[in-house]
Amino acid sequence: MSAHSHDVEEGLAFLPKFDAAGLVTCVATDAASGDVLMVAHMNEEALRKTIATGEAWYFSRSRNALWRKGETSGQTQRVVEIRTDCDQDALWLRVEQIGAACHTGRRSCFYRKIEPEGGIAKLVFVDAERLFDPGDVYQK
């Protein structure tokens, strides 16, 4: 183990490792239940704003834009705790989710499970109740 990797893995300095696109993967879970709510990405500015405000900010790869969770939908995330993994290239946000985390109107983005059927993977809805109608919220 090099001195640098020892510092990253065992030290107390926060040294997030952004990928070639300047992003770090972030998993958000419900602070009370532990349920996985969503996986998103943060750039340096989103991470800085999240730490400064206590609200979750992300970077949308599809829109190529910074966004505060809930700025359009009102479905916000108050950050309770941020953790980083051993090599500091992934983040875990424990949040208090107000309403739904998913843009489809569901509490979690993980509302389908994969089940094998005859050797083929099939999706089955679980926990798929909508908390809001995306058509009403995200009118274009």
Side-chain angles (χ1 to χ4, degrees):
M1 181 184 303
S2 72
H4 177 69
S5 63
H6 184 270
D7 293 343
V8 169
E9 294 173 2
E10 302 296 332
L12 297 180
F14 183 42
L15 305 166
K17 190 187 319 177
F18 296 94
D19 66 13
L23 302 174
V24 62
T25 302
C26 180
V27 177
T29 64
D30 185 285
S33 69
D35 291 344
V36 176
L37 299 174
M38 58 184 277
V39 175
H41 297 87
M42 289 183 169
N43 64 3
E44 189 175 352
E45 184 179 7
L47 179 55
R48 189 173 53 252
K49 285 180 176 260
T50 298
I51 292 168
T53 66
E55 293 185 65
W57 286 77
Y58 299 104
F59 185 83
S60 170
R61 294 179 300 171
S62 60
R63 294 188 311 262
N64 195 34
L66 185 72
W67 57 283
R68 182 180 55 84
K69 179 67 178 153
E71 66 188 335
T72 302
S73 67
Q75 315 293 302
T76 60
Q77 292 178 342
R78 188 182 78 73
V79 177
V80 174
E81 180 180 60
I82 305 172
R83 294 190 189 189
T84 189
D85 71 337
C86 55
D87 58 357
Q88 298 195 41
D89 67 354
L91 300 174
W92 171 20
L93 268 61
R94 294 181 58 241
V95 302
E96 288 179 353
Q97 176 67 52
I98 306 303
C102 187
H103 74 281
T104 67
R106 294 175 175 96
R107 174 107 176 116
S108 169
C109 294
F110 294 88
Y111 54 87
R112 295 172 292 180
K113 68 178 178 176
I114 299 165
E115 287 191 350
E117 187 175 284
I120 297 173
K122 174 182 153 189
L123 294 178
V124 177
F125 284 94
V126 292
D127 305 321
E129 177 187 352
R130 290 186 198 270
L131 302 180
F132 70 84
D133 181 344
D136 292 341
V137 173
Y138 302 111
Q139 296 176 12
K140 303 238 178 211

